[in-house]
Amino acid sequence: MMKTRHIVYISFVILLAAACKREDFLDRFPLDAISEQTYFKNENDLKLYVNRLYDYLPVQRARNPTAEDSTDARSDNYAMGNINTFLSGQYVVPPSGGGWTISDWSNIRNVNFFLKRYNNAQIDQTIKNYYAGEARFFRALFYWDKVKRFGAVPWLSSDLSDTSSMALYGPRQPHKVVMDSVLADLNYAVSNTADATNTNFAGRITKDVALALKARICLWEGTFRKYHALGDDQNFLREAANAAETLMNSGRYQIYKTGNPSSDYYNLFIQEELKGNKEAILARRYIRNVSMHNLTRDISNVWPALTKNFVRSILMRDGRPTALSPLYQGDDTPDNEQMNRDPRYSQIIATRGFSFTNNADGTKDLMTLPRIPSVVTGYALIKNYSPDPLQWVQSQSTLDLFIFRYAETLLIFAEAKAELGEATQAVIDRTINEIRSRVGMANMVIANLVKDPQSDFPTLAVLLDEIRRERRIELVGEGLRFDDLLRWKAGKLIENPETILGMKLTPALRAQYPASQISNVQVNANNYIRVYPNITARVWNDKMYLYPIPTDQLTLNPALMPQNAGW
């Protein structure tokens, strides 16, 4: 479907683009492209400046299976053909780069440049505050990314236009101090960005979008503080719950469903037009010959391979785990393993009858056997994958992508309320069970929950355990899983041998393939595919909760010392 206008994507504007070429940080855009005497005079100036930040919204890279820093690829959800260097213990302290380059900090600097000058515009203060709210939304996002990666970092509120500024050589601020400042930016954005109903700001960062980011960040920070024993977690958990509930109470959003529980979840992620979809709090729109992407082609080239551990976590249709449900038929064949599972199973994983290609002549490439070895575990993630060959042309895909999805907001509310000890059945009905209603999955009933004997969190209360499971299944492939492991202090889950195993390749199943096709596919003693034949499990070291600061930065600024623990 041809689209007539953008919702979210705003390209680097011609007025400003040329300024991004220079390498010297202090002379980079906007100082060499904008004269303060002639710019920041009207609303259009403010809008054009903030527009350039929109390219950094978390959309495609987090989902891209070929990206080394894809958060699902760095988690227990995926086992890709090339082992992730971070999870395999091969990552070392970089001599330079490593997320701390000039360009890595330039977005924060550009936001600060704007915030020092936007009030010069000769326009209504409310309009100025709208754009200041957008800028602070982005600063909160950028700083949260820095804290997730490095922990303590310098908090810069200046644009550093003065080369003698001591801020250039200052120390890192503690994690909690930086995140308190992030919360202040989020609160400003919620209070000052335009209302979601303001059509002049359609597709921009509105109060609703700011609430969605606030809910995401506050849940992360609240649980990080709790499980890493930093203290002061309750305020962030409360802020997460309140932000999510405000969105829920607005009445503007709902779970997408058309009455087709066997396909609605899958179809949600292969839509060319998310405008008007009430599950989209914010989506990035793609328009043919204007703005397109390569995600569908990336998936078809390097299939995201789900782990045995992820697949085992999917409940049975009756709402019970495989270890407790009489409906479970075992995993000796792919068909048995799929039988009677949560209906999302066959909308997340390619199963018999799935069409990989819908050809123009009406023929289809239907799956009969798992596509081994191109999908190294046998479990092919089909989320965001379209069978339309037009979407596979390099950098020509026009499928819209979610940035903030209402289902995530519901999951945030459920988890935050459970962490606060306030998750009643009414909360679960309003959140988890509303999500499950899309696919006709059995409701979660708190009184009937029984602890899964194969739980990844054996000491966790059963309700929280099941909320975490629901989040893992519903949001798989959306770039959030590694962040979840960090905040729960659950890195040790990476060591579960099932995180590098695939499906059971029994002799009977192997016999259905041409011998040459799978001759190099190795299995363990129980016939489960071994993705990495030379290792039986990945190893987690607690230093991996943070990345190291590059060596050159510690040399240039000794105030950044000490290095992150363990590195």
Side-chain angles (χ1 to χ4, degrees):
M1 180 186 299
M2 182 65 68
K3 307 186 185 82
T4 58
R5 55 189 290 267
H6 292 282
I7 281 187
V8 171
Y9 177 77
I10 305 174
S11 64
F12 278 22
V13 292
I14 295 175
L15 175 66
L16 306 178
C20 299
K21 303 295 185 182
R22 304 214 16 211
E23 293 301 324
D24 183 77
F25 179 47
L26 296 177
D27 290 335
R28 290 184 73 195
F29 172 85
L31 293 185
D32 63 352
I34 292 178
S35 167
E36 293 182 54
Q37 288 71 41
T38 59
Y39 205 74
F40 296 113
K41 295 299 183 183
N42 55 52
E43 180 179 357
N44 196 53
D45 288 349
L46 303 187
K47 179 187 291 186
L48 289 178
Y49 191 104
V50 174
N51 280 357
R52 72 185 307 269
L53 302 173
Y54 277 72
D55 249 23
Y56 299 95
L57 284 165
V59 191
Q60 183 177 348
R61 188 166 180 79
R63 295 172 170 83
N64 186 345
T66 66
E68 174 74 13
D69 59 351
S70 164
T71 60
D72 275 280
R74 284 182 293 162
S75 80
D76 52 352
N77 282 350
Y78 289 4
M80 303 303 292
N82 294 320
I83 191 167
N84 185 275
T85 58
F86 189 72
L87 296 184
S88 64
Q90 300 174 36
Y91 192 87
V92 297
V93 179
S96 61
W100 202 293
T101 65
I102 287 172
S103 60
D104 291 319
W105 286 93
S106 62
N107 281 330
I108 290 173
R109 186 265 184 172
N110 289 339
V111 171
N112 289 338
F113 187 93
F114 175 87
L115 292 174
K116 292 293 185 182
R117 294 160 178 82
Y118 77 96
N119 267 318
N120 295 339
Q122 304 301 306
I123 57 176
D124 182 85
Q125 188 64 45
T126 300
I127 301 296
K128 289 191 282 189
N129 291 347
Y130 286 166
Y131 294 104
E134 290 189 32
R136 291 182 70 168
F137 168 97
F138 281 104
R139 186 168 68 179
L141 176 63
F142 298 149
Y143 257 109
W144 179 45
D145 285 341
K146 287 282 182 283
V147 168
K148 284 189 295 181
R149 188 173 182 90
F150 297 110
V153 293
W155 175 266
L156 305 176
S157 57
S158 167
D159 56 72
L160 304 182
S161 56
D162 179 2
T163 59
S164 66
S165 172
M166 290 304 296
L168 283 170
Y169 309 101
R172 296 194 281 170
Q173 299 298 311
H175 171 125
K176 289 171 67 175
V177 172
V178 176
M179 289 306 295
D180 286 343
S181 295
V182 166
L183 180 57
D185 273 352
L186 291 168
N187 285 336
Y188 185 95
V190 169
S191 297
N192 289 278
T193 47
D195 291 330
T197 55
N198 186 333
T199 56
N200 292 329
F201 285 79
R204 299 192 68 87
I205 305 302
T206 62
K207 294 183 188 298
D208 285 4
V209 178
L211 283 165
L213 180 64
K214 179 180 176 180
R216 179 184 290 181
I217 290 178
C218 287
L219 179 68
W220 188 91
E221 178 64 11
T223 49
F224 189 96
R225 291 187 180 197
K226 176 178 179 178
Y227 293 105
H228 290 258
L230 300 184
D232 304 317
D233 54 276
Q234 294 292 291
N235 179 57
F236 273 88
L237 292 170
R238 180 66 62 195
E239 291 277 13
N242 289 346
E245 189 168 28
T246 299
L247 283 171
M248 293 161 64
N249 289 341
S250 73
R252 285 186 285 274
Y253 308 100
Q254 62 188 40
I255 293 299
Y256 168 84
K257 47 190 171 183
T258 67
N260 294 298
S262 63
S263 59
D264 276 347
Y265 180 86
Y266 170 75
N267 288 336
L268 176 62
F269 301 100
I270 56 168
Q271 297 188 22
E272 286 204 78
E273 183 58 84
L274 286 174
K275 178 185 176 183
N277 188 310
K278 289 192 173 182
E279 192 157 341
I281 299 173
L282 187 67
R284 178 154 173 175
R285 296 182 69 207
Y286 292 88
I287 302 172
R288 190 162 301 283
N289 299 323
V290 176
S291 172
M292 297 173 285
H293 63 86
N294 207 47
L295 181 57
T296 302
R297 183 182 176 92
D298 287 335
I299 292 173
S300 63
N301 285 337
V302 184
W303 278 98
L306 295 165
T307 67
K308 182 66 181 180
N309 178 259
F310 172 81
V311 174
R312 190 185 297 281
S313 73
I314 301 176
L315 294 171
M316 303 305 296
R317 184 181 289 271
D318 61 6
R320 299 177 185 178
T322 58
L324 298 175
S325 175
L327 298 179
Y328 186 51
Q329 301 298 305
D331 59 1
D332 282 346
T333 70
D335 292 338
N336 282 350
E337 190 168 23
Q338 172 198 353
M339 192 178 301
N340 301 322
R341 301 297 282 274
D342 180 334
R344 283 171 292 190
Y345 186 105
S346 58
Q347 299 178 62
I348 291 171
I349 303 167
T351 54
R352 187 184 298 275
F354 176 76
S355 178
F356 287 95
T357 311
N358 293 339
N359 296 308
D361 62 4
T363 60
K364 296 183 178 183
D365 176 17
L366 298 179
M367 175 173 158
T368 54
L369 291 171
R371 300 291 168 99
I372 303 168
S374 58
V375 181
V376 293
T377 65
Y379 300 117
L381 179 76
I382 56 175
K383 196 168 182 175
N384 289 118
Y385 173 82
S386 170
D388 180 1
L390 292 177
Q391 300 299 331
W392 306 348
V393 181
Q394 186 169 1
S395 300
Q396 297 287 304
S397 180
T398 53
L399 300 181
D400 286 356
L401 299 175
F402 286 100
I403 300 171
F404 293 105
R405 182 162 73 91
Y406 185 54
E408 183 198 352
T409 298
L410 298 183
L411 290 163
I412 289 170
F413 185 66
E415 186 178 347
K417 294 294 274 186
E419 290 285 4
L420 292 165
E422 300 171 358
T424 63
Q425 186 62 48
V427 168
I428 298 304
D429 288 342
R430 196 179 178 193
T431 56
I432 304 298
N433 291 338
E434 179 60 23
I435 292 170
R436 290 185 177 188
S437 71
R438 183 203 328 262
V439 296
M441 175 64 178
N443 282 342
M444 179 186 290
V445 179
I446 295 175
N448 295 341
L449 293 177
V450 178
K451 187 70 174 181
D452 184 354
Q454 296 179 327
S455 169
D456 286 331
F457 304 100
T459 63
L460 194 68
V462 64
L463 177 57
L464 261 176
D465 195 356
E466 292 304 319
I467 290 172
R468 289 185 183 185
R469 185 202 302 268
E470 192 74 21
R471 179 179 175 89
R472 185 181 191 184
I473 303 307
E474 177 68 22
L475 302 181
V476 64
E478 296 185 41
L480 299 170
R481 181 63 178 179
F482 186 68
D483 290 347
D484 287 345
L485 298 183
L486 293 181
R487 65 189 177 91
W488 295 327
K489 202 176 182 182
K492 284 290 184 182
L493 293 184
I494 294 298
E495 296 185 339
N496 186 328
E498 284 194 339
T499 68
I500 57 172
L501 292 181
M503 64 172 48
K504 182 175 282 189
L505 187 60
T506 63
L509 181 57
R510 183 183 284 270
Q512 297 179 53
Y513 291 88
S516 59
Q517 179 178 333
I518 59 171
S519 60
N520 293 324
V521 177
Q522 297 191 27
V523 297
N524 67 9
N526 295 313
N527 290 316
Y528 293 108
I529 294 173
R530 294 180 60 188
V531 180
Y532 313 117
N534 295 325
I535 62 173
T536 57
R538 294 183 285 204
V539 177
W540 178 266
N541 187 307
D542 280 353
K543 71 178 183 179
M544 295 161 65
Y545 285 115
L546 296 174
Y547 276 76
I549 300 174
T551 303
D552 65 338
Q553 297 304 317
L554 296 176
T555 302
L556 290 168
N557 181 11
L560 296 176
M561 293 289 287
Q563 175 64 278
N564 284 332
W567 294 100

